[in-house]
Amino acid sequence: MVPFAGWSMPIQYKDSIMESTVNCRQNGSIFDVSHMCGFSLKGKDCIPFLEKLVIADVAALAPGTGTLTVFTNEKGGAIDDSVITKVQNDHMYIVVNAGCRDKDLAHIEEHMKAFKAKGGDVSWHIHDERSLLALQGPLSASALQHLTKDDLSKLYFGEFRITDINGAHCFITRTGYTGEDGFEISVPSENAVDLAKAILEKSEGKIRLTGLGARDSLRLEAGLCLYGNDMEQHITPVEAGLSWAIGKRRKAEGGFLGAEVILKQLAEGPKIRLVGFTSTGPPPRSHSEIQDEKGTNIGEITSGGFSPCLKKNIAMGYVKSGSHKAGTKAKILVRGKAYDGVVTKKPFVPTKYYKPS
């Protein structure tokens, strides 16, 4: 167990990080991610309110669907990344990172006060009475189907439903942070342990409890950003490779914090870009220097490690535009020594999201 964002969190259970990473992709994993902050925005103006703060086209989301988005600041930098879901046109369900909870909630509250002062109809509820379980991997759906009457084969990637699971009133989203098929299940805290036990039982021991160590390996293999490493207050969504998350209407109209900066970057191209790397030698870590073949600094690694599934080093980092194309050779400095690296397309491991065929 380790301290993490004010919580005590498991790095690993009885199996190694290597074993549990591979088991998630072969069978499945349950992560207790109850430290993350879920909240609801309600009111007839909750969509225009949220659109002032995020880059997504929230209005265009169909009820029961969600998307990855970014909360931006006045300079276009990322305050946090988040999964937002439209429950109904007057109800949004949002999950933000535990480490960003205090600043996110303060930021939202400040803007909400101003919005309401002008007559806007929006209120919120922070779901501190609920826990969050992430069920990930190929056996997720079959194990969970035993515990609900809802037909999960009709729930696709990014879709949301409120339903009873194992007798508890749950919010369920077909999403995750591993690149595998899976679900994030918001469950009343008094039912969380029973639900986790029931899923483990229904999988006959193949789905295992999994800690932060494997969670980090899995998201890195899937090429997914970790806020605080690959995204920061001074990094824009365009630089982070999340331009796809900026709604088409938002690209045309703006209307969110930092839109001028972001729309300019979309038009002209950003000066730096987040790319994937594979490398030789010891695994690169956060802040490892990246050089071109001549030894000139072109950027730095933000996340790196040994991939348990690919059995090789993988990493992500920011490089100057022009050095970002797949196949570009580079040198990565680890403990003062230069090792060969090459820019590699993300995700490193193909994603297996459950989508309509």
Side-chain angles (χ1 to χ4, degrees):
M1 302 291 283
V2 294
F4 183 85
W7 299 78
S8 183
M9 296 287 292
I11 285 277
Q12 64 189 92
Y13 291 82
K14 62 185 175 192
D15 45 358
S16 71
I17 290 170
M18 297 283 283
E19 287 166 344
S20 74
T21 302
V22 171
N23 186 68
C24 179
R25 301 212 188 280
Q26 286 179 350
N27 297 302
S29 290
I30 294 178
F31 305 86
D32 178 0
V33 288
S34 306
H35 62 304
M36 294 183 78
C37 176
F39 62 94
S40 286
L41 287 178
K42 290 188 174 178
K44 67 173 170 44
D45 300 322
C46 72
I47 291 166
F49 170 69
L50 187 57
E51 284 199 341
K52 289 178 179 296
L53 305 181
V54 301
I55 60 176
D57 186 344
V58 186
L61 286 173
T65 66
T67 184
L68 177 74
T69 194
V70 178
F71 283 86
T72 49
N73 59 31
E74 282 80 359
K75 293 178 179 167
I79 292 173
D80 200 2
D81 59 329
S82 167
V83 173
I84 61 166
T85 303
K86 183 182 284 185
V87 183
Q88 299 288 346
N89 285 318
D90 61 354
H91 181 188
M92 296 295 304
Y93 170 65
I94 297 159
V95 179
V96 297
N97 285 304
C100 299
R101 173 184 171 128
D102 292 348
K103 70 166 185 184
D104 288 1
L105 297 185
H107 170 75
I108 295 162
E109 188 169 29
E110 181 196 342
H111 284 272
M112 195 185 293
K113 275 182 181 157
F115 187 82
K116 287 168 84 162
K118 291 180 183 162
D121 176 28
V122 64
S123 62
W124 64 347
H125 172 75
I126 298 156
H127 292 289
D128 284 338
E129 76 287 355
R130 303 184 78 87
S131 296
L132 192 64
L133 299 178
L135 171 61
Q136 300 283 294
L139 301 182
S140 299
S142 57
L144 198 58
Q145 190 62 76
H146 287 294
L147 303 173
T148 183
K149 293 192 176 91
D150 248 324
D151 182 359
L152 298 177
S153 71
K154 306 272 196 305
L155 187 73
Y156 295 106
F157 177 69
E159 292 183 348
F160 171 93
R161 209 169 271 182
I162 297 177
T163 187
D164 282 357
I165 300 175
N166 200 41
H169 188 64
C170 295
F171 308 160
I172 174 173
T173 313
R174 197 148 196 167
T175 188
Y177 194 46
T178 62
E180 296 297 316
D181 180 26
F183 305 87
E184 289 187 352
I185 309 159
S186 169
V187 54
S189 293
E190 62 271 20
N191 306 116
V193 174
D194 287 345
L195 177 56
K197 284 179 176 169
I199 294 167
L200 294 171
E201 208 172 279
K202 293 299 177 195
S203 79
E204 295 166 355
K206 288 183 174 165
I207 293 174
R208 295 183 204 156
L209 287 166
T210 307
L212 289 177
R215 189 168 166 82
D216 195 51
S217 304
L218 289 156
R219 69 93 196 166
L220 184 55
E221 289 178 340
L224 299 170
C225 290
L226 173 63
Y227 192 89
N229 283 45
D230 315 298
M231 255 195 285
E232 297 263 14
Q233 302 260 18
H234 60 277
I235 296 285
T236 72
V238 182
E239 293 163 346
L242 296 175
S243 299
W244 61 267
I246 307 169
K248 196 173 171 187
R249 177 175 62 83
R250 312 307 308 270
K251 286 176 182 171
E253 294 174 7
F256 50 89
L257 293 173
E260 303 74 33
V261 176
I262 288 170
L263 299 185
K264 188 169 184 246
Q265 283 188 347
L266 284 172
E268 298 172 6
K271 292 191 171 65
I272 58 167
R273 294 172 193 256
L274 184 66
V275 296
F277 283 97
T278 49
S279 69
T280 60
R285 297 292 178 200
S286 185
H287 305 302
S288 295
E289 186 183 335
I290 306 164
Q291 299 177 343
D292 64 16
E293 291 193 284
K294 297 188 184 113
T296 309
N297 179 306
I298 54 165
E300 78 167 26
I301 297 295
T302 50
S303 289
F306 182 76
S307 161
C309 297
L310 301 174
K311 306 282 186 276
K312 63 182 179 188
N313 298 337
I314 58 172
M316 298 198 294
Y318 284 89
V319 296
K320 290 175 182 163
S321 285
S323 302
H324 66 280
K325 299 211 166 50
T328 304
K329 289 181 175 153
K331 298 280 182 199
I332 300 175
L333 267 62
V334 185
R335 293 190 284 277
K337 243 184 112 176
Y339 297 93
D340 291 333
V342 63
V343 176
T344 307
K345 275 197 170 134
K346 310 188 301 279
F348 301 100
V349 171
T351 55
K352 302 194 187 73
Y353 302 130
Y354 181 71
K355 295 182 175 178
S357 51

